[in-house]
Amino acid sequence: MRIVPVAGYDSMLLNIGGAHNCVFTRIIVILTDSAGHTGVGETPCHASTLQLLAQFRPLIEGSSLLRLNATLSQLFSSDARQQQTSHTNDIHIPQMNPEKFYNAAAAIEAALLDLQGKLFNLPVADLLASGKQRDRIPVLGYLFYIADRKLTNMHYRSGDNEQDGWFRLRHEAAMDSTAVVRLAEAAVEQYGFRDFKLKGGVQAGEVEVETVEALLSRFPEARVTVDPNASWSLEEAIRFGKQLAGKVPYLEDPCGAEQGYSGRETLAEFRRATGVPVATNMIANDWRQLHHALQLNAIDIPLADPHFWTMRNANVVAQLCNEWGLTTGCHSNNHFDISLAMVAHLGAAAPGDRQTAFDTHWIWQDGQQLTRQPPQIRDGYLELPPGPGLGIELDMERVEQAHALYNALPDKNRNDALGMQFLIDNWRYDAKRPSLVR
């Protein structure tokens, strides 16, 4: 088992937490079996996740691929969790939380599934409980407001050497609806999207709704939505929801906890008041949260990210959606093409036809692949890679280059506040205010 932290380049994308740094980080887990086959997994990078992966190594090395269930069960046993938490605290690294635990387990599980698929000559999608249902899945064009990188002294890429179109525009400032529509046009030309999501929580709600309506005007046949990351108050969310009702397929986390009420309670009120379906990656991120959210009828689309649920658990969520009349979706963050393959197999195994277009940030990292033949997005669909396992082969030269970039970083943990300090003096994160509303 090899644990490889890696880094790649990003644009100055805005969100409620600030501005994406010029570099993002991930962790690659590489497993090699006794036959010489390689399995890989990818997950978000944090110091505590790296430490957990190192501590899990004795449970993985020497285990049998035919006993994958038993191996993974050891990771999730209460004794193992308690031991990892205790040891993490003893050595004074950042406090372990359930999210980091699942991040670590998800990378290992994906790599084991990749190896097992090669052992049985089956795609990972066929190893998930539902089995492969399709060869491609719809994905959406994830759009952002982009700040002007020239206002910083950070080393953002310029895109000056790129041809006109998506690969140049993704590096340029886009702070109004006209610029965001231009981004969408370029993304359609490059990837053929029929669905879009605007990352909100950046400007005043009125501005973001105006951008959604501009996208709908330009692409009247497209499905367009916005994710304010719960920065709207319930009152605002209901007002904007009524304005967008019948125009958008759903809203993602339009409001959150306020005035003593939980995010699950306010989202339930929002649904009753507007009739607009709700997607979330904020208030139903584990089994207990999902249970409470469904009891309150607060959500319609749980966005089960395989990096935070694991691939097999996310597939179970998809099965529950199919059985209970919910819609399957998937959350995303900046990632390399290993994660893109994980998402492709997850979507390919989701049962039924109640599936919304999956999120992916890959369009912002396209060209930085760590595999020889990365999965492709064509005509708005992510195609399942051919071949057994995840269907990908690492390009080790590129992996080592990404690892060297990670090692060169002075601060290896994500900090979206850093770039915002160049835009707004003394900027601080506020969960209830869009990042530019100060």
mmCIF file of all heavy atoms in Angstrom, residues 278-323:
data_model
loop_
_atom_site.group_PDB
_atom_site.id
_atom_site.type_symbol
_atom_site.label_atom_id
_atom_site.label_comp_id
_atom_site.label_asym_id
_atom_site.label_seq_id
_atom_site.Cartn_x
_atom_site.Cartn_y
_atom_site.Cartn_z
ATOM 1 N N VAL A 278 -35.399 19.720 -3.298
ATOM 2 C CA VAL A 278 -34.177 20.107 -2.598
ATOM 3 C C VAL A 278 -33.117 19.021 -2.740
ATOM 4 O O VAL A 278 -33.380 17.836 -2.506
ATOM 5 C CB VAL A 278 -34.449 20.351 -1.099
ATOM 6 C CG1 VAL A 278 -33.145 20.518 -0.320
ATOM 7 C CG2 VAL A 278 -35.332 21.576 -0.918
ATOM 8 N N ALA A 279 -31.918 19.436 -3.132
ATOM 9 C CA ALA A 279 -30.738 18.560 -3.100
ATOM 10 C C ALA A 279 -29.843 19.026 -1.964
ATOM 11 O O ALA A 279 -29.879 20.203 -1.557
ATOM 12 C CB ALA A 279 -29.981 18.629 -4.422
ATOM 13 N N THR A 280 -29.030 18.110 -1.440
ATOM 14 C CA THR A 280 -28.141 18.501 -0.338
ATOM 15 C C THR A 280 -26.865 17.691 -0.322
ATOM 16 O O THR A 280 -26.851 16.507 -0.655
ATOM 17 C CB THR A 280 -28.837 18.338 1.025
ATOM 18 O OG1 THR A 280 -27.958 18.810 2.060
ATOM 19 C CG2 THR A 280 -29.171 16.879 1.313
ATOM 20 N N ASN A 281 -25.790 18.361 0.054
ATOM 21 C CA ASN A 281 -24.584 17.671 0.485
ATOM 22 C C ASN A 281 -24.147 18.210 1.845
ATOM 23 O O ASN A 281 -23.021 17.999 2.278
ATOM 24 C CB ASN A 281 -23.435 17.856 -0.516
ATOM 25 C CG ASN A 281 -22.761 19.208 -0.396
ATOM 26 O OD1 ASN A 281 -23.401 20.234 -0.611
ATOM 27 N ND2 ASN A 281 -21.488 19.229 -0.053
ATOM 28 N N MET A 282 -25.094 18.892 2.545
ATOM 29 C CA MET A 282 -24.747 19.526 3.811
ATOM 30 C C MET A 282 -25.459 18.920 5.011
ATOM 31 O O MET A 282 -24.909 18.953 6.124
ATOM 32 C CB MET A 282 -25.052 21.037 3.747
ATOM 33 C CG MET A 282 -24.227 21.792 2.722
ATOM 34 S SD MET A 282 -24.592 23.571 2.668
ATOM 35 C CE MET A 282 -23.905 24.106 4.241
ATOM 36 N N ILE A 283 -26.655 18.385 4.832
ATOM 37 C CA ILE A 283 -27.418 17.972 6.004
ATOM 38 C C ILE A 283 -27.855 16.505 5.960
ATOM 39 O O ILE A 283 -28.663 16.072 6.772
ATOM 40 C CB ILE A 283 -28.656 18.884 6.231
ATOM 41 C CG1 ILE A 283 -29.574 18.916 4.973
ATOM 42 C CG2 ILE A 283 -28.228 20.288 6.582
ATOM 43 C CD1 ILE A 283 -30.703 17.961 5.009
ATOM 44 N N ALA A 284 -27.285 15.729 5.034
ATOM 45 C CA ALA A 284 -27.604 14.293 4.958
ATOM 46 C C ALA A 284 -26.372 13.539 4.494
ATOM 47 O O ALA A 284 -26.394 12.831 3.492
ATOM 48 C CB ALA A 284 -28.785 14.047 4.027
ATOM 49 N N ASN A 285 -25.282 13.694 5.251
ATOM 50 C CA ASN A 285 -23.994 13.169 4.819
ATOM 51 C C ASN A 285 -23.582 11.873 5.508
ATOM 52 O O ASN A 285 -22.457 11.415 5.320
ATOM 53 C CB ASN A 285 -22.906 14.232 5.014
ATOM 54 C CG ASN A 285 -23.090 15.391 4.057
ATOM 55 O OD1 ASN A 285 -23.646 15.233 2.975
ATOM 56 N ND2 ASN A 285 -22.644 16.565 4.448
ATOM 57 N N ASP A 286 -24.430 11.324 6.347
ATOM 58 C CA ASP A 286 -24.195 9.991 6.882
ATOM 59 C C ASP A 286 -25.564 9.368 7.147
ATOM 60 O O ASP A 286 -26.607 9.995 6.931
ATOM 61 C CB ASP A 286 -23.311 10.016 8.138
ATOM 62 C CG ASP A 286 -23.885 10.840 9.273
ATOM 63 O OD1 ASP A 286 -25.137 10.873 9.445
ATOM 64 O OD2 ASP A 286 -23.102 11.455 10.029
ATOM 65 N N TRP A 287 -25.595 8.121 7.608
ATOM 66 C CA TRP A 287 -26.873 7.407 7.731
ATOM 67 C C TRP A 287 -27.803 8.068 8.741
ATOM 68 O O TRP A 287 -29.013 8.167 8.509
ATOM 69 C CB TRP A 287 -26.619 5.950 8.122
ATOM 70 C CG TRP A 287 -25.832 5.206 7.094
ATOM 71 C CD1 TRP A 287 -24.586 4.673 7.233
ATOM 72 C CD2 TRP A 287 -26.231 4.929 5.746
ATOM 73 N NE1 TRP A 287 -24.176 4.084 6.064
ATOM 74 C CE2 TRP A 287 -25.174 4.216 5.135
ATOM 75 C CE3 TRP A 287 -27.367 5.207 4.997
ATOM 76 C CZ2 TRP A 287 -25.224 3.785 3.815
ATOM 77 C CZ3 TRP A 287 -27.424 4.776 3.679
ATOM 78 C CH2 TRP A 287 -26.371 4.075 3.102
ATOM 79 N N ARG A 288 -27.257 8.534 9.848
ATOM 80 C CA ARG A 288 -28.107 9.165 10.861
ATOM 81 C C ARG A 288 -28.704 10.471 10.329
ATOM 82 O O ARG A 288 -29.892 10.736 10.479
ATOM 83 C CB ARG A 288 -27.289 9.415 12.130
ATOM 84 C CG ARG A 288 -28.092 10.014 13.272
ATOM 85 C CD ARG A 288 -27.206 10.244 14.488
ATOM 86 N NE ARG A 288 -27.926 10.925 15.560
ATOM 87 C CZ ARG A 288 -27.345 11.401 16.661
ATOM 88 N NH1 ARG A 288 -26.047 11.259 16.831
ATOM 89 N NH2 ARG A 288 -28.067 12.014 17.576
ATOM 90 N N GLN A 289 -27.861 11.298 9.687
ATOM 91 C CA GLN A 289 -28.358 12.553 9.119
ATOM 92 C C GLN A 289 -29.409 12.283 8.041
ATOM 93 O O GLN A 289 -30.438 12.969 7.982
ATOM 94 C CB GLN A 289 -27.194 13.354 8.528
ATOM 95 C CG GLN A 289 -26.226 13.926 9.551
ATOM 96 C CD GLN A 289 -25.130 14.738 8.893
ATOM 97 O OE1 GLN A 289 -25.210 15.096 7.723
ATOM 98 N NE2 GLN A 289 -24.092 15.035 9.655
ATOM 99 N N LEU A 290 -29.132 11.294 7.188
ATOM 100 C CA LEU A 290 -30.075 10.974 6.122
ATOM 101 C C LEU A 290 -31.416 10.525 6.702
ATOM 102 O O LEU A 290 -32.484 10.921 6.219
ATOM 103 C CB LEU A 290 -29.490 9.885 5.218
ATOM 104 C CG LEU A 290 -30.350 9.437 4.039
ATOM 105 C CD1 LEU A 290 -30.639 10.597 3.090
ATOM 106 C CD2 LEU A 290 -29.675 8.287 3.285
ATOM 107 N N HIS A 291 -31.366 9.729 7.760
ATOM 108 C CA HIS A 291 -32.591 9.260 8.415
ATOM 109 C C HIS A 291 -33.432 10.436 8.888
ATOM 110 O O HIS A 291 -34.642 10.518 8.613
ATOM 111 C CB HIS A 291 -32.208 8.353 9.592
ATOM 112 C CG HIS A 291 -33.376 7.806 10.343
ATOM 113 N ND1 HIS A 291 -33.340 7.548 11.687
ATOM 114 C CD2 HIS A 291 -34.640 7.501 9.945
ATOM 115 C CE1 HIS A 291 -34.521 7.096 12.087
ATOM 116 N NE2 HIS A 291 -35.319 7.051 11.048
ATOM 117 N N HIS A 292 -32.813 11.388 9.591
ATOM 118 C CA HIS A 292 -33.556 12.540 10.105
ATOM 119 C C HIS A 292 -34.075 13.422 8.969
ATOM 120 O O HIS A 292 -35.200 13.937 9.038
ATOM 121 C CB HIS A 292 -32.669 13.355 11.051
ATOM 122 C CG HIS A 292 -32.478 12.722 12.395
ATOM 123 N ND1 HIS A 292 -33.457 12.719 13.350
ATOM 124 C CD2 HIS A 292 -31.427 12.056 12.936
ATOM 125 C CE1 HIS A 292 -33.032 12.094 14.433
ATOM 126 N NE2 HIS A 292 -31.791 11.677 14.203
ATOM 127 N N ALA A 293 -33.259 13.608 7.924
ATOM 128 C CA ALA A 293 -33.693 14.438 6.795
ATOM 129 C C ALA A 293 -34.923 13.848 6.117
ATOM 130 O O ALA A 293 -35.855 14.579 5.735
ATOM 131 C CB ALA A 293 -32.557 14.597 5.794
ATOM 132 N N LEU A 294 -34.945 12.527 5.966
ATOM 133 C CA LEU A 294 -36.083 11.884 5.314
ATOM 134 C C LEU A 294 -37.304 11.874 6.217
ATOM 135 O O LEU A 294 -38.439 11.996 5.739
ATOM 136 C CB LEU A 294 -35.705 10.463 4.900
ATOM 137 C CG LEU A 294 -34.613 10.367 3.831
ATOM 138 C CD1 LEU A 294 -34.304 8.919 3.502
ATOM 139 C CD2 LEU A 294 -34.999 11.128 2.567
ATOM 140 N N GLN A 295 -37.106 11.734 7.532
ATOM 141 C CA GLN A 295 -38.236 11.797 8.459
ATOM 142 C C GLN A 295 -38.951 13.143 8.365
ATOM 143 O O GLN A 295 -40.178 13.220 8.479
ATOM 144 C CB GLN A 295 -37.758 11.573 9.893
ATOM 145 C CG GLN A 295 -37.546 10.122 10.275
ATOM 146 C CD GLN A 295 -37.228 9.983 11.746
ATOM 147 O OE1 GLN A 295 -36.488 10.778 12.321
ATOM 148 N NE2 GLN A 295 -37.808 8.971 12.379
ATOM 149 N N LEU A 296 -38.180 14.201 8.152
ATOM 150 C CA LEU A 296 -38.755 15.550 8.085
ATOM 151 C C LEU A 296 -39.200 15.922 6.669
ATOM 152 O O LEU A 296 -39.675 17.042 6.455
ATOM 153 C CB LEU A 296 -37.719 16.575 8.573
ATOM 154 C CG LEU A 296 -37.378 16.531 10.069
ATOM 155 C CD1 LEU A 296 -36.188 17.432 10.368
ATOM 156 C CD2 LEU A 296 -38.596 16.985 10.886
ATOM 157 N N ASN A 297 -39.035 15.005 5.697
ATOM 158 C CA ASN A 297 -39.347 15.337 4.294
ATOM 159 C C ASN A 297 -38.612 16.600 3.856
ATOM 160 O O ASN A 297 -39.180 17.481 3.206
ATOM 161 C CB ASN A 297 -40.854 15.507 4.101
ATOM 162 C CG ASN A 297 -41.610 14.207 4.239
ATOM 163 O OD1 ASN A 297 -41.166 13.177 3.732
ATOM 164 N ND2 ASN A 297 -42.732 14.229 4.941
ATOM 165 N N ALA A 298 -37.332 16.658 4.217
ATOM 166 C CA ALA A 298 -36.548 17.865 3.965
ATOM 167 C C ALA A 298 -35.831 17.852 2.627
ATOM 168 O O ALA A 298 -35.437 18.907 2.138
ATOM 169 C CB ALA A 298 -35.514 18.055 5.085
ATOM 170 N N ILE A 299 -35.642 16.667 2.022
ATOM 171 C CA ILE A 299 -34.812 16.583 0.821
ATOM 172 C C ILE A 299 -35.435 15.646 -0.207
ATOM 173 O O ILE A 299 -36.247 14.788 0.118
ATOM 174 C CB ILE A 299 -33.383 16.099 1.139
ATOM 175 C CG1 ILE A 299 -33.400 14.685 1.730
ATOM 176 C CG2 ILE A 299 -32.680 17.064 2.076
ATOM 177 C CD1 ILE A 299 -32.030 14.056 1.874
ATOM 178 N N ASP A 300 -35.034 15.852 -1.448
ATOM 179 C CA ASP A 300 -35.450 14.994 -2.560
ATOM 180 C C ASP A 300 -34.256 14.299 -3.212
ATOM 181 O O ASP A 300 -34.412 13.238 -3.806
ATOM 182 C CB ASP A 300 -36.155 15.824 -3.638
ATOM 183 C CG ASP A 300 -37.337 16.591 -3.091
ATOM 184 O OD1 ASP A 300 -38.437 16.018 -3.053
ATOM 185 O OD2 ASP A 300 -37.148 17.753 -2.676
ATOM 186 N N ILE A 301 -33.069 14.935 -3.123
ATOM 187 C CA ILE A 301 -31.883 14.444 -3.835
ATOM 188 C C ILE A 301 -30.689 14.439 -2.888
ATOM 189 O O ILE A 301 -30.027 15.463 -2.703
ATOM 190 C CB ILE A 301 -31.559 15.325 -5.064
ATOM 191 C CG1 ILE A 301 -32.800 15.552 -5.934
ATOM 192 C CG2 ILE A 301 -30.434 14.710 -5.879
ATOM 193 C CD1 ILE A 301 -32.610 16.584 -7.029
ATOM 194 N N PRO A 302 -30.386 13.307 -2.257
ATOM 195 C CA PRO A 302 -29.138 13.236 -1.487
ATOM 196 C C PRO A 302 -27.956 13.109 -2.439
ATOM 197 O O PRO A 302 -27.939 12.213 -3.295
ATOM 198 C CB PRO A 302 -29.315 11.973 -0.635
ATOM 199 C CG PRO A 302 -30.347 11.162 -1.332
ATOM 200 C CD PRO A 302 -31.203 12.091 -2.139
ATOM 201 N N LEU A 303 -27.002 14.025 -2.320
ATOM 202 C CA LEU A 303 -25.830 14.021 -3.200
ATOM 203 C C LEU A 303 -24.735 13.195 -2.535
ATOM 204 O O LEU A 303 -23.888 13.715 -1.812
ATOM 205 C CB LEU A 303 -25.367 15.461 -3.471
ATOM 206 C CG LEU A 303 -26.430 16.368 -4.104
ATOM 207 C CD1 LEU A 303 -25.930 17.798 -4.206
ATOM 208 C CD2 LEU A 303 -26.831 15.844 -5.479
ATOM 209 N N ALA A 304 -24.775 11.893 -2.764
ATOM 210 C CA ALA A 304 -23.895 10.957 -2.061
ATOM 211 C C ALA A 304 -22.540 10.865 -2.767
ATOM 212 O O ALA A 304 -22.363 10.106 -3.710
ATOM 213 C CB ALA A 304 -24.553 9.581 -1.974
ATOM 214 N N ASP A 305 -21.602 11.637 -2.286
ATOM 215 C CA ASP A 305 -20.247 11.686 -2.827
ATOM 216 C C ASP A 305 -19.490 10.427 -2.394
ATOM 217 O O ASP A 305 -19.409 10.140 -1.202
ATOM 218 C CB ASP A 305 -19.559 12.939 -2.284
ATOM 219 C CG ASP A 305 -18.204 13.207 -2.924
ATOM 220 O OD1 ASP A 305 -17.505 12.240 -3.262
ATOM 221 O OD2 ASP A 305 -17.848 14.389 -3.061
ATOM 222 N N PRO A 306 -18.920 9.654 -3.342
ATOM 223 C CA PRO A 306 -18.217 8.422 -2.955
ATOM 224 C C PRO A 306 -16.989 8.659 -2.095
ATOM 225 O O PRO A 306 -16.514 7.732 -1.439
ATOM 226 C CB PRO A 306 -17.830 7.794 -4.301
ATOM 227 C CG PRO A 306 -17.793 8.935 -5.270
ATOM 228 C CD PRO A 306 -18.875 9.867 -4.810
ATOM 229 N N HIS A 307 -16.476 9.892 -2.075
ATOM 230 C CA HIS A 307 -15.301 10.189 -1.250
ATOM 231 C C HIS A 307 -15.684 10.434 0.205
ATOM 232 O O HIS A 307 -14.826 10.401 1.085
ATOM 233 C CB HIS A 307 -14.571 11.415 -1.800
ATOM 234 C CG HIS A 307 -14.231 11.307 -3.244
ATOM 235 N ND1 HIS A 307 -15.089 11.732 -4.237
ATOM 236 C CD2 HIS A 307 -13.145 10.792 -3.876
ATOM 237 C CE1 HIS A 307 -14.530 11.500 -5.421
ATOM 238 N NE2 HIS A 307 -13.367 10.928 -5.230
ATOM 239 N N PHE A 308 -16.963 10.714 0.455
ATOM 240 C CA PHE A 308 -17.426 10.984 1.815
ATOM 241 C C PHE A 308 -18.331 9.869 2.343
ATOM 242 O O PHE A 308 -18.543 9.767 3.544
ATOM 243 C CB PHE A 308 -18.150 12.327 1.870
ATOM 244 C CG PHE A 308 -17.247 13.496 1.590
ATOM 245 C CD1 PHE A 308 -17.032 13.939 0.289
ATOM 246 C CD2 PHE A 308 -16.575 14.137 2.620
ATOM 247 C CE1 PHE A 308 -16.181 15.001 0.028
ATOM 248 C CE2 PHE A 308 -15.725 15.203 2.362
ATOM 249 C CZ PHE A 308 -15.526 15.636 1.063
ATOM 250 N N TRP A 309 -18.865 9.045 1.421
ATOM 251 C CA TRP A 309 -19.683 7.903 1.814
ATOM 252 C C TRP A 309 -18.936 6.589 1.615
ATOM 253 O O TRP A 309 -19.215 5.611 2.295
ATOM 254 C CB TRP A 309 -20.963 7.856 0.973
ATOM 255 C CG TRP A 309 -22.042 8.793 1.388
ATOM 256 C CD1 TRP A 309 -22.193 10.102 1.004
ATOM 257 C CD2 TRP A 309 -23.149 8.507 2.251
ATOM 258 N NE1 TRP A 309 -23.309 10.648 1.568
ATOM 259 C CE2 TRP A 309 -23.926 9.687 2.345
ATOM 260 C CE3 TRP A 309 -23.564 7.382 2.944
ATOM 261 C CZ2 TRP A 309 -25.086 9.756 3.114
ATOM 262 C CZ3 TRP A 309 -24.720 7.450 3.708
ATOM 263 C CH2 TRP A 309 -25.467 8.630 3.785
ATOM 264 N N THR A 310 -18.014 6.521 0.694
ATOM 265 C CA THR A 310 -17.375 5.383 0.033
ATOM 266 C C THR A 310 -18.271 4.954 -1.132
ATOM 267 O O THR A 310 -19.474 5.230 -1.144
ATOM 268 C CB THR A 310 -17.076 4.166 0.937
ATOM 269 O OG1 THR A 310 -18.263 3.401 1.131
ATOM 270 C CG2 THR A 310 -16.461 4.584 2.267
ATOM 271 N N MET A 311 -17.669 4.288 -2.099
ATOM 272 C CA MET A 311 -18.416 3.917 -3.294
ATOM 273 C C MET A 311 -19.561 2.964 -2.975
ATOM 274 O O MET A 311 -20.666 3.102 -3.495
ATOM 275 C CB MET A 311 -17.482 3.278 -4.333
ATOM 276 C CG MET A 311 -16.503 4.243 -4.974
ATOM 277 S SD MET A 311 -15.569 3.488 -6.333
ATOM 278 C CE MET A 311 -16.848 3.328 -7.583
ATOM 279 N N ARG A 312 -19.310 1.987 -2.125
ATOM 280 C CA ARG A 312 -20.358 0.998 -1.847
ATOM 281 C C ARG A 312 -21.490 1.613 -1.037
ATOM 282 O O ARG A 312 -22.666 1.326 -1.297
ATOM 283 C CB ARG A 312 -19.752 -0.210 -1.137
ATOM 284 C CG ARG A 312 -18.703 -0.914 -1.990
ATOM 285 C CD ARG A 312 -18.382 -2.304 -1.486
ATOM 286 N NE ARG A 312 -18.013 -2.303 -0.068
ATOM 287 C CZ ARG A 312 -17.821 -3.412 0.649
ATOM 288 N NH1 ARG A 312 -17.960 -4.595 0.084
ATOM 289 N NH2 ARG A 312 -17.466 -3.334 1.915
ATOM 290 N N ASN A 313 -21.177 2.445 -0.066
ATOM 291 C CA ASN A 313 -22.242 3.114 0.689
ATOM 292 C C ASN A 313 -23.034 4.066 -0.198
ATOM 293 O O ASN A 313 -24.259 4.172 -0.082
ATOM 294 C CB ASN A 313 -21.666 3.865 1.881
ATOM 295 C CG ASN A 313 -21.308 2.954 3.031
ATOM 296 O OD1 ASN A 313 -21.850 1.862 3.164
ATOM 297 N ND2 ASN A 313 -20.392 3.386 3.873
ATOM 298 N N ALA A 314 -22.342 4.787 -1.079
ATOM 299 C CA ALA A 314 -23.037 5.696 -1.993
ATOM 300 C C ALA A 314 -23.967 4.915 -2.915
ATOM 301 O O ALA A 314 -25.058 5.386 -3.271
ATOM 302 C CB ALA A 314 -22.034 6.512 -2.802
ATOM 303 N N ASN A 315 -23.555 3.710 -3.303
ATOM 304 C CA ASN A 315 -24.425 2.873 -4.117
ATOM 305 C C ASN A 315 -25.662 2.432 -3.338
ATOM 306 O O ASN A 315 -26.761 2.336 -3.898
ATOM 307 C CB ASN A 315 -23.671 1.654 -4.640
ATOM 308 C CG ASN A 315 -24.523 0.752 -5.504
ATOM 309 O OD1 ASN A 315 -24.904 -0.330 -5.091
ATOM 310 N ND2 ASN A 315 -24.837 1.208 -6.710
ATOM 311 N N VAL A 316 -25.507 2.182 -2.041
ATOM 312 C CA VAL A 316 -26.667 1.841 -1.212
ATOM 313 C C VAL A 316 -27.627 3.024 -1.154
ATOM 314 O O VAL A 316 -28.854 2.853 -1.229
ATOM 315 C CB VAL A 316 -26.228 1.422 0.203
ATOM 316 C CG1 VAL A 316 -27.440 1.254 1.115
ATOM 317 C CG2 VAL A 316 -25.437 0.120 0.155
ATOM 318 N N VAL A 317 -27.090 4.244 -1.027
ATOM 319 C CA VAL A 317 -27.944 5.433 -1.050
ATOM 320 C C VAL A 317 -28.716 5.482 -2.359
ATOM 321 O O VAL A 317 -29.921 5.779 -2.388
ATOM 322 C CB VAL A 317 -27.122 6.717 -0.851
ATOM 323 C CG1 VAL A 317 -28.002 7.951 -1.013
ATOM 324 C CG2 VAL A 317 -26.456 6.738 0.523
ATOM 325 N N ALA A 318 -28.044 5.176 -3.471
ATOM 326 C CA ALA A 318 -28.716 5.165 -4.779
ATOM 327 C C ALA A 318 -29.820 4.109 -4.813
ATOM 328 O O ALA A 318 -30.897 4.339 -5.383
ATOM 329 C CB ALA A 318 -27.706 4.907 -5.891
ATOM 330 N N GLN A 319 -29.592 2.951 -4.199
ATOM 331 C CA GLN A 319 -30.619 1.918 -4.130
ATOM 332 C C GLN A 319 -31.829 2.394 -3.325
ATOM 333 O O GLN A 319 -32.979 2.178 -3.715
ATOM 334 C CB GLN A 319 -30.044 0.650 -3.512
ATOM 335 C CG GLN A 319 -29.042 -0.075 -4.394
ATOM 336 C CD GLN A 319 -28.460 -1.283 -3.683
ATOM 337 O OE1 GLN A 319 -27.616 -1.156 -2.806
ATOM 338 N NE2 GLN A 319 -28.942 -2.448 -4.051
ATOM 339 N N LEU A 320 -31.553 3.060 -2.193
ATOM 340 C CA LEU A 320 -32.647 3.585 -1.373
ATOM 341 C C LEU A 320 -33.442 4.639 -2.145
ATOM 342 O O LEU A 320 -34.676 4.675 -2.079
ATOM 343 C CB LEU A 320 -32.101 4.179 -0.079
ATOM 344 C CG LEU A 320 -31.454 3.192 0.905
ATOM 345 C CD1 LEU A 320 -30.891 3.943 2.111
ATOM 346 C CD2 LEU A 320 -32.453 2.139 1.358
ATOM 347 N N CYS A 321 -32.732 5.493 -2.879
ATOM 348 C CA CYS A 321 -33.426 6.499 -3.695
ATOM 349 C C CYS A 321 -34.370 5.831 -4.679
ATOM 350 O O CYS A 321 -35.520 6.271 -4.871
ATOM 351 C CB CYS A 321 -32.409 7.365 -4.441
ATOM 352 S SG CYS A 321 -31.502 8.544 -3.408
ATOM 353 N N ASN A 322 -33.902 4.772 -5.324
ATOM 354 C CA ASN A 322 -34.722 4.076 -6.304
ATOM 355 C C ASN A 322 -35.946 3.444 -5.654
ATOM 356 O O ASN A 322 -37.053 3.494 -6.207
ATOM 357 C CB ASN A 322 -33.877 2.995 -6.991
ATOM 358 C CG ASN A 322 -34.640 2.260 -8.077
ATOM 359 O OD1 ASN A 322 -35.228 2.878 -8.961
ATOM 360 N ND2 ASN A 322 -34.641 0.944 -8.007
ATOM 361 N N GLU A 323 -35.781 2.869 -4.461
ATOM 362 C CA GLU A 323 -36.889 2.186 -3.790
ATOM 363 C C GLU A 323 -37.881 3.158 -3.163
ATOM 364 O O GLU A 323 -39.072 2.861 -3.064
ATOM 365 C CB GLU A 323 -36.344 1.244 -2.712
ATOM 366 C CG GLU A 323 -35.497 0.096 -3.243
ATOM 367 C CD GLU A 323 -36.282 -0.896 -4.066
ATOM 368 O OE1 GLU A 323 -37.525 -0.959 -3.902
ATOM 369 O OE2 GLU A 323 -35.671 -1.610 -4.893
#
